[in-house]
Amino acid sequence: MINEKTAPALNIKDLCVAYQQEGEWWEAVHEVSLQIQPGEIYGLVGESGSGKTTLALAVLRYLGKNGMIRQGKIELSGVDLVQLQPAEMRKLWGHQMALIPQNPQSSLNPAMRVGDQIAEVYRHTQDMETGEARHKAVEMLREVNIPDPGRVTLSYPHQLSGGMQQRVLIAMALSSNPSLLILDEPTTNLDVTTQATILDLLRSLIEQRQTAALYITHNLAVVAQMCRRAGVLYAGRLVEEAFINELFARPLHPYTQGLLESMPRLGDHKDSVRLRAIEGRAPVFGDIPSGCVFRPRCPIANEICETNPPLSVLPEGRKVRCHRWEVSLNEAGRSHLPDGRSDRNTTEKHQLQPLLSLEGVSVHYPLKRSLREVVRREPKRAVRAVEGMDLKILSGQTLGLVGESGSGKSTLARATLGVVDKTAGTIELLGIQLPDKLSRRTLDTLRKVQSVFQNPEEALNPYLTVGEILQRPMMTLLGWSRQEAIGRVPDLLRAVRLPAMYAERLPTQLSGGEKQRVAIARASAAKPNLLICDEPVSALDVSVQASILNLLEDLQAEHGNSLLFISHDMAVVGFLADTIAVIYLGELVEIAETGDLFKSPYHPYTEALLSAIPGTKVESRRVAAPLVGEIPSPIEKPGGCPFHSRCPRLVGEICKRQPPPWQSQQGSSKRYLCHIPWEELQAQQGDIQGFEISRG
Amino acid sequence: MATHTGAAPSRGRRFVSQLRRLYAVPTAAFGTTVFVLFLALALLGPWIAPYGANQQDYQGARMAPSSLHWFGTDHLGRDVFSRVLLGAGEILWLSGGGTLLAVLCGTAIGLLSGYLGGWLDELIMRLFDSLLALPALLLALLMLGILGASAWSVLIVMVVVYTPIVARVVRSVVLSVKTRGFVEAARLQGESLGWILFREILPSVLPTLAVETAVRFSYGIFLVASLGFLGVGVQPPSPNWGLMVKEARQTISQTPWALYYPAGAISILVIGVNLMADGLKRIFQTRHD
Amino acid sequence: MKVNLHIIGRNKIALVIMLVLVFVSACGRVGATQPAPAAPTQGQSVSAEPRSERNGILRVAMQPIVQADPAFISSDSEVLVANHVYDYLVDIDPASKVIPRLAVDWQIENDGLTYVFTLAEGVQFHDGSPLTAQDVVWTFNRLRDPELELPTADLYSNIADIQATGELEVTFILNQPNPFFLYDLSDNHALVLKANTQDAATKFNGTGPFKVTSYSPEDRIILEANKDYYIQDLPKLEGVEILFFNDENAAVDALRSGQVDLVMRMSTALFTSLQDEPGIYTLDIPTNGFDLVRLRSDREPGDDPRVIQAFKLATDREAILQLVQQGYGAVGRDSPIGPMYTQYYSEETPIPERDVQAARQLLSEAGYPQGLDIVLHTPDTGGRPDLAVVLKEQWAEAGINVEVSVEPESVYYGEERWLEVDLGITGWGSRPYPQFYLDVMLKCEAVWNESHFCDPEFDELTTTAGTSLDEAQQAEAYQKIQQILIERGPVIIPYFFAQFAAISDKFQGFELKPFAGRTDFRLVNLQE
């Protein structure tokens, strides 16, 4: 157990870190103090630009040439790292401290066998002989739950999946038994099911080795699951620190509250809950407001906030840097909408006209055959990205599409848009079959289906002003004159809650969230019937996500357009969608109205997705094994049930041989593709429990 | 709301600010200064040259540099300083004009080929591959053999030699740009091919193109000088620096200065333009990071 | 006169190279019947008292040789080697006079149709066999055999018969009189081989002053003195090594560093740079090689004599000699009969002074008041591009605006382009007698009449000069020809080249000839 009385493994005191940019120094981290006990995982939460990575690099003393520790102490086991010479620091790296980075691929040497890379750490840090080091490497790999570690040691990094690579890095980091482990977003690039297993592994290893760990992330749910205590970093300042339960139950700082309330929880739905977004955007270098740094975005700020807030130390180890935390505590709470707020719900579903219907849509990307294959007359192979998809989107409704990376959800969207050619099936818009090729579609068809892309950075032409970007669809799709189009731009901006003067700006002058708003404004400028949103918020910070989700919902309420919403995040989809389709390996495995989806039974894959969400528990009557293995290649898909190779509820040979039937039951909109009948599956599964923060 | 409240800066101000950034790097500042200096000399050459380019004085032939002839005189009694000065204009307009034409052609082809893809792209690129398989100088010699030696031929040669290179560079940028969301959005908006190529894609190509133009330009200077040196480019008595080196090479033991000054001018200008290209690259790279 | 027409068909470039390179060929009748005394030093020479003992090895830098069979040789180095391994029947001295070699004496009989030669006694081939009249007969029969198609077949087509009229006496019988026949017998290829030699290209079995001891193509050829040479005390060297250099700069560097002792033929600039080099002696002699600037006279603008006159008036020949040839060689007088031909050269007709105003006036009268734009074509070799540049500048003052087009020789001479263009510069090699130029270049029907000059009076005079056995009549005809060319010939000959050589001052007795390949090493030796 963690003893608060013992000396902390890491003690950071009044740390200030500055960067030099174009000749001037800007503080990225300002007067941060925190302690981590041995065996404790301390979560450091912050959005992009909050300074959390800078803090980690400062602890490692690995700032670039343009970075400098201005003041403060970083004591590791009583030694002040700030005072150490670079040569002395090098001795500490790998021995006493280790880093697990976000991107495992760039941290492993691609030209060296994995085993040799781990063995090298042993040879360096513990002066082992090569043979012994190799042996140790295999042992370490076993410890991070890598199956068949002997074989893996002989692999090169590119032969391993992202999850495996991350395990190898964990093995390397822990091989020297460091007293401090710094984890910088170690699971951000991983799929949610893989993330769950890695998190479990990390937690048990850290507990077992009594390592002090600094866990840096933007994901509150991960912090909730992993950490004992957490600090919230905003604009380089630690604005709040508390034990995890306290932090989630009673967030004191308005920013923490905003973060918590801006993310939809599993089961939240737009009909009942309105997300509370944090307005504005995070300050950037050289633009730090005076007084309280959060003041410009704070809903409860007043004159006093123009002075620097002191760090208030409260009982139970809580700290908060806010003048008005007592006020904020009372103001907190998300806005629950009165029941039946949405008029749409009053309309019966069956009366709605299908806007878009996909029947048996398949998209295969043919692979180029090698010369050998051509000579041997082997059949042409193809990546079967989407296979026999049947889906309908009703007018004014939102269809959510959920699946892990590689499930084919984006391909489906692109086939609908006409950007990729489908191999089979029909796509009908309002009963009219759409041609495959974009060039064959009429302007009116184009107008009816518009799209918002995942990456706002790439969505806008950096060389056109926002105004020019917004005029175009009206000119091309609606045939308006430039003057008419220009006249509409302010309305469009207003609709996406941006000031009209933004029309003059270039995209580079906008933040990520603002860019995505412009992209949405562009997509909705010509009043489309269907808006296809492919992961529109996954590249955005948590506080910005909420406002985008709210915006999409508002626009839909106003225009009555349909929405095809694609996401890997169950909670986000659950919040926005009326109907949710779960796809795996290009095939639809489950579809249900949102309310029904979160009721058992679930398709085993859906179950895995749900239970992998940090902080979420699916009550299992019969404990299902975690998901095993990797997603199979869509080139050589397994026969029978597409999920059989990983299914924790495998029935037997039948799953491998025979394609499963659709299971459904009267009274539920749910259908799922499985050999296990409804009742039997229901008996094995319970309802999900999202983490609920009981308010004090 | 934070600081970014101003409208987009005007093009002029952007140019000035980029020039300032160019001058922030010492090597690029040097390179740009050299280039501007040569440009000025080229423009003013006809007014400040003390003698004509082909003005001969057989009694004053083969004279070492002196106050009368700063760079001395060559074997035909021509003032080397005046010839170097007047040659600047010629080499700059030939290499500059050739580069610009090649950049125009290469950009148009690269944009189309890269964006449309398919068999057209395949055809054009294979054709260019076969052109690029020949060393530039060899290709130039072959073409000049057919076209005959003249300034216009040199111009055509530069276009043929450099268009494939520029097109490839442009195409590679187009390939990465065309998958970006804004291009797809433009297609979904039903934009015309012209709009997509020139308004959506071209601006993103421009930074790379600017660097490539500068690099091509420096190679172009070298090519024009080399062709002059080989005697297949511009014809005597033109004060082409390469030609001057060729002529002076035969009398190097007598009039070394007639070789050193034009050769030095070539190297300084090429180095200058290269450093400038380097600076441009840095500016545009940091802007993208 | 026909010159090697089969070559024209086969390989124009080779022909052109032959044309530009200097070669000594002859056809003609010469008045002199008396053998000249042995080698008076008329060219510039390193004079020193010859010694009787053989002494020293001379290392010569030369272009690599390609042909070794005397019937095919053409380049300087090929002729140089052959000239020392074999002997000519008669030779030519630096003043272009015919002198004895293997033939010590000759008689011309039957109105110039019969030539009787007496061979030297005691001449041996390198294999030890003696030289007989039969060898000479076989040699020349081979050279003239139409079946063999050797380069000399046309040259000797005028020979009706060759007979061995004694052990050491050979008689040539001609079809027509030829005042230049002795020159023809001294043609570069006319080296006497042993009768029935099958492999002349590899055997090197000559009578000459040196024997080949080793030959490595692309590297060097080593010669040693022929101790049984028929002239006592000759050669004076122990041996000659000819080292092959492709680059004249490298050759001169080798001379500077003492790796070779002799370099012949080099650019004016290189030659000038050697002037003050200690230990190196430089020699230059004028030749009759020249660069010819010619304007086509059969069409505009050259068909107007005033235009031709304007070009000539606008040209400053002295300045050109100074700039292009750095003053070496001699100023030309627009006729191919240069000062080297002492018996024919005449300065009687004055060349008009340069007069730019007069030139302008003439152009204006001819219908070019605004001046004349014309392209000047020139091959890219020698001083010709420089000549073009200087002419451009000089002519510009008279309103003749020239665009220079420098072309590789293969382009300029290829496809008969040089005979086609209006204004061009052509290089012509040095010949031992002037008739050749008139016959092939300026006569109305001449094969290489590049200026398309056609003047009945000129043609008549040329025929007279080429056939008359009367020396006075011949000289008069040549004098008149020079006058015609100055007054109305469409050619400008601004200068005659000099031939250059540089030799280590350790050697003596070296005498340079206009055609470097015919230089004679027999009298050269190392100074004590």
Side-chain angles (χ1 to χ4, degrees):
Chain A
M1 271 322 296
I2 294 154
N3 187 349
E4 303 292 340
K5 298 286 181 321
T6 56
L10 179 72
N11 183 10
I12 299 176
K13 202 147 169 46
D14 290 334
L15 185 68
C16 289
V17 184
Y19 278 117
Q20 194 180 29
Q21 210 174 2
E22 288 178 5
E24 284 190 72
W25 288 91
W26 305 106
E27 261 189 9
V29 170
H30 182 74
E31 290 181 1
V32 169
S33 302
L34 57 88
Q35 290 86 35
I36 307 177
Q37 305 294 329
E40 181 184 37
I41 306 179
Y42 183 95
L44 195 62
V45 186
E47 295 181 278
S48 50
S50 63
K52 54 191 194 301
T53 297
T54 302
L55 185 78
L57 293 177
V59 171
L60 287 166
R61 290 281 312 279
Y62 202 70
L63 293 164
K65 268 192 184 147
N66 60 338
M68 179 180 85
I69 295 174
R70 274 212 168 152
Q71 67 166 66
K73 275 200 263 187
I74 304 168
E75 286 180 351
L76 181 67
S77 313
V79 180
D80 187 2
L81 302 182
V82 179
Q83 306 301 327
L84 291 186
Q85 295 302 309
E88 296 171 300
M89 267 320 291
R90 270 198 289 279
K91 281 188 204 150
L92 289 184
W93 292 335
H95 284 260
Q96 301 229 21
M97 52 209 309
L99 173 75
I100 298 174
Q102 175 170 357
N103 190 350
Q105 206 147 25
S106 59
S107 305
L108 289 168
N109 183 344
M112 202 171 164
R113 288 178 200 278
V114 162
D116 293 342
Q117 295 190 47
I118 304 174
E120 196 170 76
V121 180
Y122 279 107
R123 291 218 313 274
H124 265 265
T125 60
Q126 287 159 46
D127 285 333
M128 278 187 196
E129 295 298 315
T130 308
E132 194 187 353
R134 288 236 171 95
H135 181 70
K136 278 284 207 184
V138 176
E139 253 178 45
M140 197 64 224
L141 285 178
R142 190 168 290 128
E143 218 171 321
V144 295
N145 293 338
I146 285 184
D148 196 0
R151 189 183 57 80
V152 170
T153 51
L154 297 178
S155 312
Y156 287 96
H158 70 268
Q159 296 169 315
L160 304 177
S161 69
M164 285 290 227
Q165 289 176 354
Q166 198 58 284
R167 282 171 201 265
V168 170
L169 275 182
I170 293 169
M172 283 172 75
L174 293 179
S175 56
S176 61
N177 225 342
S179 40
L180 176 67
L181 191 61
I182 296 175
L183 304 108
D184 190 0
E185 307 258 20
T187 61
T188 304
N189 288 348
L190 303 176
D191 269 321
V192 68
T193 51
T194 317
Q195 167 175 299
T197 55
I198 296 282
L199 290 181
D200 281 346
L201 172 72
L202 278 172
R203 201 156 60 161
S204 67
L205 284 174
I206 290 166
E207 200 169 300
Q208 188 187 325
R209 292 172 174 248
Q210 284 294 295
T211 313
L214 179 63
Y215 196 108
I216 292 167
T217 182
H218 70 283
N219 190 330
L220 290 167
V222 168
V223 170
Q225 187 187 347
M226 292 288 287
C227 305
R228 182 166 166 267
R229 285 189 306 138
V232 178
L233 208 58
Y234 182 80
R237 277 104 175 135
L238 200 64
V239 294
E240 183 163 7
E241 184 186 280
F243 282 95
I244 216 75
N245 297 339
E246 284 289 305
L247 189 71
F248 280 75
R250 286 192 309 134
L252 295 182
H253 197 279
Y255 176 63
T256 318
Q257 289 172 2
L259 281 184
L260 283 170
E261 283 158 23
S262 62
M263 57 175 229
R265 278 161 236 169
L266 204 55
D268 281 353
H269 193 258
K270 61 184 176 187
D271 290 344
S272 52
V273 174
R274 177 138 182 105
L275 298 178
R276 208 182 90 176
I278 306 173
E279 295 305 326
R281 61 184 188 187
V284 293
F285 273 178
D287 187 24
I288 309 282
S290 61
C292 173
V293 286
F294 190 60
R295 176 169 55 88
R297 302 174 75 186
C298 184
I300 56 167
N302 64 10
E303 312 79 57
I304 192 172
C305 299
E306 282 166 34
T307 60
N308 268 331
L311 189 68
S312 319
V313 182
L314 309 176
E316 296 169 34
R318 295 202 72 156
K319 291 174 190 160
V320 62
R321 197 186 283 272
C322 179
H323 290 292
R324 292 166 58 79
W325 61 270
E326 285 151 311
V327 182
S328 112
L329 189 58
N330 299 328
E331 295 276 316
R334 58 174 56 197
S335 34
H336 282 264
L337 298 168
D339 282 349
R341 164 222 165 202
S342 169
D343 299 337
R344 281 166 303 175
N345 265 10
T346 58
T347 325
E348 285 301 316
K349 291 274 161 65
H350 56 81
Q351 290 175 339
L352 291 171
Q353 198 193 353
L355 175 76
L356 182 83
S357 52
L358 285 69
E359 265 172 51
V361 172
S362 297
V363 182
H364 295 179
Y365 297 111
L367 288 175
K368 280 196 178 159
R369 286 189 296 177
S370 70
L371 189 61
R372 207 177 77 170
E373 286 167 332
V374 172
V375 170
R376 289 185 172 187
R377 294 169 176 258
E378 286 179 21
K380 280 189 180 173
R381 293 186 304 165
V383 176
R384 295 150 95 177
V386 175
E387 193 95 302
M389 191 71 74
D390 296 322
L391 280 176
K392 273 191 174 46
I393 302 178
L394 303 180
S395 291
Q397 294 276 302
T398 302
L399 175 70
L401 216 51
V402 190
E404 290 177 285
S405 52
S407 60
K409 51 194 195 302
S410 291
T411 304
L412 187 67
R414 293 168 64 75
T416 310
L417 286 169
V419 187
V420 298
D421 296 349
K422 61 181 171 0
T423 315
T426 56
I427 301 177
E428 283 182 6
L429 185 71
L430 291 167
I432 300 159
Q433 199 168 326
L434 289 183
D436 272 3
K437 292 250 185 286
L438 197 60
S439 50
R440 298 241 186 86
R441 298 192 177 180
T442 63
L443 277 181
D444 190 55
T445 309
L446 293 181
R447 181 192 68 75
K448 283 179 178 147
V449 185
Q450 283 291 311
S451 167
V452 176
F453 300 97
Q454 171 173 4
N455 189 347
E457 302 303 320
E458 289 192 346
L460 307 179
N461 188 336
Y463 296 91
L464 296 178
T465 65
V466 169
E468 287 170 313
I469 290 169
L470 293 181
Q471 292 157 27
R472 293 305 298 180
M474 293 182 279
M475 291 165 67
T476 53
L477 295 175
L478 300 176
W480 290 9
S481 72
R482 180 178 296 276
Q483 285 314 310
E484 290 172 296
I486 290 173
R488 257 293 273 172
V489 167
D491 294 340
L492 285 174
L493 286 171
R494 207 170 302 124
V496 294
R497 322 282 184 259
L498 287 175
M501 64 171 184
Y502 268 50
E504 300 297 315
R505 292 198 182 176
L506 288 171
T508 44
Q509 297 167 298
L510 307 183
S511 71
E514 286 166 348
K515 280 179 198 160
Q516 202 61 311
R517 281 165 197 260
V518 173
I520 292 169
R522 173 180 60 191
S524 51
K527 302 213 168 54
N529 299 41
L530 174 64
L531 199 56
I532 296 179
C533 303
D534 188 355
E535 303 263 18
V537 295
S538 64
L540 301 175
D541 272 321
V542 181
S543 66
V544 183
Q545 276 187 22
S547 62
I548 298 294
L549 293 176
N550 283 340
L551 178 65
L552 286 172
E553 190 210 331
D554 293 350
L555 286 175
Q556 192 181 23
E558 195 179 321
H559 300 306
N561 60 298
S562 304
L563 213 58
L564 175 61
F565 190 90
I566 298 170
S567 179
H568 67 282
D569 187 331
M570 267 290 191
V572 168
V573 174
F575 174 76
L576 216 56
D578 301 301
T579 306
I580 297 178
V582 181
I583 61 176
Y584 180 76
L585 268 186
E587 289 185 43
L588 188 64
V589 295
E590 178 164 0
I591 184 163
E593 283 174 19
T594 306
D596 290 337
L597 188 88
F598 297 112
K599 294 189 189 120
S600 64
Y602 323 95
H603 186 281
Y605 177 60
T606 314
E607 183 191 11
L609 284 181
L610 289 171
S611 55
I613 298 169
T616 311
K617 283 272 179 303
V618 178
E619 256 178 38
S620 249
R621 313 243 164 98
R622 201 196 84 185
V623 178
L627 224 49
V628 290
E630 310 287 338
I631 301 185
S633 152
I635 301 167
E636 280 139 31
K637 274 165 83 166
C641 174
F643 192 52
H644 82 245
S645 61
R646 300 175 74 197
C647 185
R649 296 194 186 275
L650 202 63
V651 180
E653 277 300 296
I654 186 173
C655 294
K656 295 178 190 167
R657 294 274 156 75
Q658 209 171 314
W662 282 104
Q663 307 281 356
S664 60
Q665 203 177 53
Q666 200 71 42
S668 173
S669 59
K670 178 177 281 200
R671 288 190 295 147
Y672 65 89
L673 197 66
C674 189
H675 286 293
I676 309 173
W678 192 282
E679 283 82 12
E680 196 183 327
L681 195 55
Q682 200 167 28
Q684 290 176 12
Q685 299 169 331
D687 286 343
I688 50 155
Q689 306 242 297
F691 63 84
E692 199 48 50
I693 298 158
S694 52
R695 298 187 178 278
Chain B
M1 202 56 27
T3 46
H4 298 284
T5 42
S10 72
R11 271 166 225 286
R13 264 174 53 199
R14 268 198 274 176
F15 177 75
V16 169
S17 83
Q18 269 167 23
L19 205 66
R20 194 174 297 155
R21 297 186 60 171
L22 206 52
Y23 267 81
V25 186
T27 50
F30 172 77
T32 313
T33 308
V34 165
F35 172 64
V36 170
L37 201 74
F38 272 77
L39 200 65
L41 287 178
L43 291 173
L44 298 175
W47 285 276
I48 55 176
Y51 301 88
N54 199 29
Q55 193 178 329
Q56 297 156 6
D57 170 13
Y58 78 86
Q59 268 131 7
R62 298 180 286 279
M63 293 214 310
S66 66
S67 59
L68 203 61
H69 298 283
W70 290 358
F71 293 178
T73 60
D74 69 2
H75 64 295
L76 296 183
R78 296 174 292 189
D79 181 51
V80 177
F81 176 68
S82 302
R83 284 176 68 75
V84 169
L85 206 58
L86 295 166
E90 194 225 59
I91 204 160
L92 283 176
W93 106 251
L94 263 185
S95 49
T99 306
L100 260 151
L101 281 177
V103 164
L104 286 180
C105 295
T107 306
I109 296 174
L111 279 174
L112 261 172
S113 174
Y115 180 71
L116 294 181
W119 63 266
L120 181 79
D121 180 44
E122 195 77 8
L123 190 79
I124 292 175
M125 284 306 132
R126 289 299 86 79
L127 184 77
F128 283 179
D129 279 348
S130 56
L131 273 179
L132 290 175
L134 288 173
L137 201 58
L138 196 65
L139 187 62
L141 289 176
L142 275 173
M143 289 191 55
L144 284 170
I146 298 163
L147 294 171
S150 77
W152 291 108
S153 306
V154 171
L155 212 61
I156 294 171
V157 162
M158 284 193 62
V159 174
V160 173
V161 170
Y162 289 150
T163 295
I165 302 177
V166 175
R168 284 195 144 262
V169 170
V170 169
R171 176 178 171 271
S172 71
V173 181
V174 171
L175 287 186
S176 82
V177 172
K178 80 168 180 181
T179 59
R180 294 204 192 140
F182 63 85
V183 178
E184 208 152 276
R187 292 177 63 199
L188 292 173
Q189 262 160 235
E191 296 286 4
S192 66
L193 181 66
W195 175 275
I196 291 178
L197 289 186
F198 293 105
R199 294 306 303 273
E200 302 285 349
I201 296 180
L202 184 61
S204 303
V205 178
L206 284 178
T208 315
L209 201 58
V211 175
E212 184 60 24
T213 306
V215 172
R216 272 316 115 212
F217 182 45
S218 77
Y219 279 102
I221 294 166
F222 211 73
L223 184 67
V224 172
S226 302
L227 292 176
F229 178 75
L230 294 173
V232 294
V234 188
Q235 292 295 294
S238 154
N240 178 293
W241 293 342
L243 195 60
M244 290 172 72
V245 171
K246 171 199 167 78
E247 290 171 348
R249 199 179 69 115
Q250 289 156 0
T251 58
I252 183 169
S253 47
Q254 288 178 288
T255 55
W257 48 85
L259 186 142
Y260 295 152
Y261 287 105
I266 296 171
S267 347
I268 294 172
L269 181 57
V270 169
I271 291 170
V273 173
N274 260 322
L275 290 176
M276 187 172 74
D278 229 42
L280 282 176
K281 202 183 283 177
R282 270 200 229 180
I283 287 181
F284 290 126
Q285 266 170 5
T286 48
R287 241 183 61 159
H288 278 273
D289 287 347
Chain C
M1 185 188 97
K2 285 183 183 172
V3 180
N4 308 339
L5 278 177
H6 60 284
I7 299 185
I8 300 179
R10 224 189 291 159
N11 191 338
K12 287 166 194 147
I13 296 167
L15 169 105
V16 161
I17 291 168
M18 280 173 69
L19 194 147
V20 174
L21 284 175
V22 189
F23 62 85
V24 186
S25 69
C27 50
R29 304 141 220 165
V30 95
T33 50
Q34 290 296 314
T41 338
Q42 287 212 342
Q44 202 182 347
S45 71
V46 183
S47 56
E49 203 52 35
R51 289 172 50 92
S52 57
E53 262 172 55
R54 275 185 243 285
N55 195 351
I57 290 173
L58 181 70
R59 295 160 303 166
V60 188
M62 280 299 236
Q63 292 264 313
I65 65 171
V66 180
Q67 293 288 355
D69 183 340
F72 293 104
I73 55 175
S74 65
S75 75
D76 265 313
S77 50
E78 287 162 3
V79 174
L80 186 79
V81 169
N83 186 26
H84 289 94
V85 175
Y86 304 93
D87 280 309
Y88 290 98
L89 198 58
V90 291
D91 209 344
I92 294 174
D93 75 358
S96 301
K97 287 227 176 68
V98 176
I99 53 171
R101 183 102 172 235
L102 282 178
V104 289
D105 193 10
W106 54 85
Q107 302 293 324
I108 302 171
E109 300 160 357
N110 200 6
D111 288 336
L113 286 176
T114 305
Y115 284 71
V116 181
F117 294 90
T118 309
L119 302 180
E121 288 183 25
V123 180
Q124 273 183 17
F125 284 99
H126 295 163
D127 67 359
S129 57
L131 171 84
T132 66
Q134 279 307 328
D135 297 316
V136 178
V137 172
W138 183 86
T139 298
F140 282 93
N141 276 336
R142 174 182 181 238
L143 290 174
R144 74 190 183 106
D145 188 347
E147 301 280 298
L148 296 176
E149 293 191 346
L150 296 181
T152 41
D154 281 317
L155 182 67
Y156 296 132
S157 60
N158 188 32
I159 298 175
D161 195 15
I162 310 171
Q163 291 163 1
T165 43
E167 183 71 4
L168 293 174
E169 190 183 271
V170 184
T171 304
F172 288 74
I173 299 163
L174 305 187
N175 291 321
Q176 317 235 303
N178 176 359
F180 304 108
F181 182 62
L182 286 174
Y183 286 102
D184 287 350
L185 283 184
S186 159
D187 181 84
N188 279 347
H189 306 97
L191 291 146
V192 177
L193 272 61
K194 183 158 180 59
N196 303 316
T197 301
Q198 290 306 311
D199 35 15
T202 53
K203 268 292 184 303
F204 297 111
N205 185 21
T207 56
F210 293 93
K211 297 178 186 178
V212 174
T213 54
S214 82
Y215 167 43
S216 2
E218 301 295 315
D219 177 33
R220 67 187 62 196
I221 184 162
I222 298 174
L223 311 177
E224 63 169 18
N226 175 8
K227 296 194 177 62
D228 303 318
Y229 195 58
Y230 73 100
I231 302 175
Q232 279 269 264
D233 297 337
L234 291 187
K236 290 171 180 270
L237 283 166
E238 285 176 275
V240 173
E241 282 181 24
I242 295 171
L243 287 78
F244 299 141
F245 283 78
N246 274 309
D247 176 40
E248 59 173 27
N249 286 300
V252 167
D253 284 343
L255 175 67
R256 282 202 173 97
S257 63
Q259 289 165 279
V260 300
D261 304 309
L262 172 63
V263 177
M264 290 188 283
R265 280 179 68 114
M266 67 194 84
S267 72
T268 312
L270 271 177
F271 182 71
T272 320
S273 73
L274 285 171
Q275 290 307 308
D276 300 320
E277 197 79 24
I280 291 172
Y281 195 91
T282 57
L283 305 87
D284 70 280
I285 60 161
T287 72
N288 202 63
F290 54 87
D291 284 330
L292 173 81
V293 187
R294 93 294 176 289
L295 185 63
R296 265 184 79 156
S297 58
D298 62 336
R299 64 183 186 201
E300 277 191 54
D303 59 354
D304 188 328
R306 288 171 296 195
V307 172
I308 289 175
Q309 216 47 46
F311 272 84
K312 291 188 172 193
L313 280 172
T315 308
D316 182 344
R317 293 168 188 76
E318 178 62 35
I320 291 173
L321 179 72
Q322 291 303 325
L323 285 173
V324 180
Q325 299 297 328
Q326 301 202 15
Y328 291 105
V331 175
R333 291 168 50 79
D334 297 354
S335 122
I337 303 169
M340 210 184 80
Y341 306 123
T342 43
Q343 65 270 53
Y344 307 128
Y345 178 70
S346 155
E347 294 190 1
E348 219 174 271
T349 314
I351 268 216
E353 284 283 300
R354 182 174 191 241
D355 188 341
V356 175
Q357 282 317 313
R360 263 185 199 283
Q361 183 62 34
L362 280 171
L363 277 181
S364 180
E365 284 167 18
Y368 303 99
Q370 303 303 318
L372 184 61
D373 291 334
I374 193 163
V375 178
L376 173 57
H377 298 265
T378 174
D380 62 353
T381 47
R384 288 174 272 277
D386 283 346
L387 172 59
V389 167
V390 173
L391 284 174
K392 178 190 167 78
E393 180 73 5
Q394 290 185 354
W395 289 349
E397 290 174 45
I400 302 165
N401 301 311
V402 155
E403 189 192 315
V404 178
S405 171
V406 179
E407 294 149 15
E409 284 198 332
S410 58
V411 173
Y412 182 79
Y413 292 114
E415 311 285 334
E416 309 294 4
R417 180 179 167 82
W418 65 296
L419 301 178
E420 197 46 47
V421 297
D422 274 310
L423 184 62
I425 297 177
T426 311
W428 287 81
S430 188
R431 304 273 169 157
Y433 59 95
Q435 186 65 25
F436 170 83
Y437 304 111
L438 310 178
D439 284 339
V440 304
M441 180 209 292
L442 289 163
K443 265 175 104 170
C444 198
E445 297 303 321
V447 279
W448 296 326
N449 188 351
E450 46 179 325
S451 58
H452 299 251
F453 181 57
C454 210
D455 188 306
E457 192 191 350
F458 176 90
D459 285 6
E460 207 187 304
L461 285 165
T462 303
T463 310
T464 308
T467 51
S468 171
L469 297 176
D470 179 340
E471 277 185 60
Q473 198 185 10
Q474 210 179 22
E476 196 199 322
Y478 281 135
Q479 196 275 315
K480 195 85 178 77
I481 282 168
Q482 291 174 65
Q483 185 189 341
I484 289 173
L485 286 176
I486 289 172
E487 283 169 0
R488 53 180 192 263
V491 297
I492 298 170
I493 294 175
Y495 50 71
F496 291 93
F497 311 129
Q499 178 65 270
F500 298 126
I503 186 166
S504 157
D505 63 4
K506 294 198 283 272
F507 287 87
Q508 58 186 358
F510 175 75
E511 188 177 26
L512 183 61
K513 289 196 180 174
F515 182 66
R518 293 294 285 265
T519 295
D520 191 349
F521 292 154
R522 286 182 299 182
L523 291 168
V524 178
N525 77 337
L526 196 63
Q527 262 171 352
E528 286 295 298

